[in-house]
Amino acid sequence: PVTDVRGAEISINQLQASEHDEALAVLARAFWPDPVFGFFAKTRVQEHQMLPGAFGAFVADAAPFDKCWAARA
């Protein structure tokens, strides 16, 4: 574990397959609004809808190689 600026312990572990959906929701929220995705989307609603799919592709690509990590507080 590592300690954040508030003194809270954070563990960093590989993302489990059962956590993928939750991780995609967190990623989509963290990166919305995003100028790159906003460039491709016609509306903010469309941008919000496309983020989970885009991050899902990233996770699906990296997961078989055990390259998805999550920080947990």
Side-chain angles (χ1 to χ4, degrees):
V2 295
T3 304
D4 72 5
V5 295
R6 299 168 295 150
E9 283 193 1
I10 298 173
S11 62
I12 301 171
N13 307 75
Q14 287 186 329
L15 189 67
Q16 302 299 312
S18 62
E19 300 172 307
H20 285 189
D21 289 342
E22 183 179 1
L24 296 180
V26 170
L27 283 166
R29 179 63 185 103
F31 285 90
W32 187 84
D34 182 82
V36 173
F37 289 103
F39 178 80
F40 295 104
K42 294 177 181 165
T43 67
R44 291 222 180 224
V45 171
Q46 186 181 19
E47 177 185 354
H48 184 72
Q49 292 170 335
M50 72 189 303
L51 283 170
F55 286 116
F58 301 151
V59 170
D61 184 54
F65 304 101
D66 295 328
K67 297 298 180 187
C68 293
W69 296 82
R72 296 170 179 86

